[in-house]
Amino acid sequence: MANVHKDFHGALSFGIQFLDDQYGLAGLEEFFTRAAKAVYATLIEDLHCRGLDALKEHWDTVFTLEAGGFETWYEGDTLVLDVRACPAIHHMRARNYRIADHFCEHTRIVNEAVCAAAGYACSVEYDQDAGRCVQRFWRAVP
Amino acid sequence: MISCVDYIYTYSELFKYLEERGGYGKVVELWEGIREEFLANLRDYVARDGLKGMYAYWSHTLGEEGGRHHMSLYDDMFVIDMHDCPSAKKVFREGRIEPYPKYCEHCPVLYPPLIREFGYEVEYHLIDCPSGQCRLVVRKPPDVPTPDDR
């Protein structure tokens, strides 16, 4: 069982705001694209080799560990992740941490970097204030 | 969402990125910002309960983060002996990312200046970063008022 210290969401949020203040959205894009390839190299390999089941397992593990309100399912060849209660947003709000202006953008950037590296594509529609999002993943057309 | 269990890897990558773009000073600027703006809960613990507040704060955070350590609380001193830091383990020993060599330097920037604001004397010894060993020593000076005097 992994150790769960949710205050790290607040620290990440501080880092995102710092990056945004220093280097703007282009800096966020550059940093998280690069970080995603390093931090999630194993997930990228797994997604490339096993397909969307690997990503579904990843999200099921993460959101169960963090006690988020979520559901994953397939719509044809598309994996859908419906986050109804984002554990990061809800924890930061409960602890009165500042939520970075573009906090949820890191999800889009990381997902796109992971998927692109593995031959997949994705989308995300988020409502940061509500702590909700719907993410979709599918195999990219070559 | 980057899970909190993946945060430490991202933290280390952020330090690398900031140093590449703005030098080590930019990394320190981030750490100082975290200390001044994010660690309000530690500041509250210390302001309210002094040395016992520090013990309570790190009991919570280190309890959640894992690792192996020993905390000592005396009437006039608080000590953390970190034997196997969970963050350093992730950064230096798991092989998942290329470590930021100065990763452990964030702790001496985050904690001693904050605690000194309350009148305490603080030492931070980074003993062996790759193996996750360090020591924080906080002393209450006999002639300086601190929250422990209330």
Side-chain angles (χ1 to χ4, degrees):
Chain A
M1 181 82 173
N3 290 92
V4 178
H5 181 51
K6 289 191 179 183
D7 285 353
F8 283 152
H9 289 302
L12 178 64
S13 179
F14 185 89
I16 290 172
Q17 190 63 52
F18 185 86
L19 271 174
D20 195 0
D21 292 342
Q22 297 288 325
Y23 304 119
L25 290 174
L28 285 184
E29 193 88 31
E30 182 178 60
F31 167 67
F32 280 108
T33 298
R34 184 194 299 191
K37 292 173 188 169
V39 174
Y40 293 111
T42 302
L43 177 62
I44 289 167
E45 178 70 16
D46 209 17
L47 176 59
H48 179 73
C49 293
R50 296 203 296 125
L52 291 171
D53 283 348
L55 201 52
K56 184 177 187 305
E57 288 171 16
H58 171 76
W59 291 130
D60 287 343
T61 300
V62 162
F63 282 92
T64 300
L65 196 63
E66 298 231 18
F70 79 104
E71 195 174 350
T72 53
W73 69 86
Y74 286 103
E75 288 178 356
D77 293 332
T78 298
L79 171 65
V80 181
L81 166 63
D82 184 0
V83 181
R84 292 163 188 154
C86 173
I89 296 289
H90 283 257
H91 181 76
M92 289 191 286
R93 195 162 285 146
R95 292 295 174 93
N96 206 26
Y97 292 139
R98 180 182 176 182
I99 300 173
D101 297 342
H102 299 103
F103 181 81
C104 292
E105 271 296 281
H106 90 270
T107 293
R108 177 190 65 76
I109 301 165
V110 169
N111 284 358
E112 287 181 358
V114 168
C115 285
Y120 284 78
C122 59
S123 68
V124 58
E125 299 166 34
Y126 60 76
D127 181 340
Q128 181 164 306
D129 291 336
R132 298 191 57 157
C133 68
V134 178
Q135 304 176 34
R136 289 183 166 80
F137 307 88
W138 61 92
R139 183 179 287 280
V141 177
Chain B
M1 181 191 78
I2 290 177
S3 168
C4 62
V5 300
D6 294 330
Y7 168 72
I8 293 300
Y9 312 110
T10 311
Y11 202 32
S12 179
E13 289 297 304
L14 178 58
F15 301 164
K16 273 194 276 184
Y17 179 79
L18 290 177
E19 182 156 318
E20 283 176 29
R21 288 206 61 166
Y24 183 62
K26 190 61 71 180
V27 187
V28 173
E29 192 179 329
L30 170 75
W31 295 340
E32 290 173 339
I34 291 172
R35 181 183 72 221
E36 297 304 317
E37 298 180 38
F38 178 68
L39 290 178
N41 53 346
L42 172 58
R43 194 168 265 110
D44 290 345
Y45 269 104
V46 179
R48 190 174 58 240
D49 293 320
L51 296 168
K52 289 178 182 170
M54 298 173 210
Y55 185 91
Y57 172 82
W58 271 291
S59 292
H60 169 73
T61 60
L62 292 176
E64 286 188 349
E65 288 187 61
R68 289 179 286 182
H69 62 275
H70 184 81
M71 289 195 289
S72 307
L73 178 63
Y74 307 95
D75 288 343
D76 60 351
M77 187 160 65
F78 169 67
V79 182
I80 301 176
D81 282 302
M82 180 58 73
H83 308 302
D84 185 10
C85 172
S87 297
K89 185 176 185 178
K90 286 186 170 186
V91 169
F92 291 106
R93 305 210 300 278
E94 284 190 357
R96 181 162 164 179
I97 55 168
E98 183 65 33
Y100 175 64
K102 289 170 272 193
Y103 178 82
C104 290
E105 292 180 18
H106 73 275
C107 277
V109 175
L110 293 187
Y111 303 117
L114 188 157
I115 296 170
R116 287 189 191 111
E117 289 175 23
F118 295 91
Y120 299 97
E121 294 172 350
V122 188
E123 300 165 24
Y124 205 114
H125 304 283
L126 294 175
I127 300 167
D128 187 331
C129 292
S131 64
Q133 297 178 61
C134 67
R135 172 181 286 171
L136 169 71
V137 182
V138 182
R139 291 187 177 85
K140 174 187 156 19
D143 52 348
V144 177
T146 68
D148 284 88
D149 295 317
R150 290 199 293 270

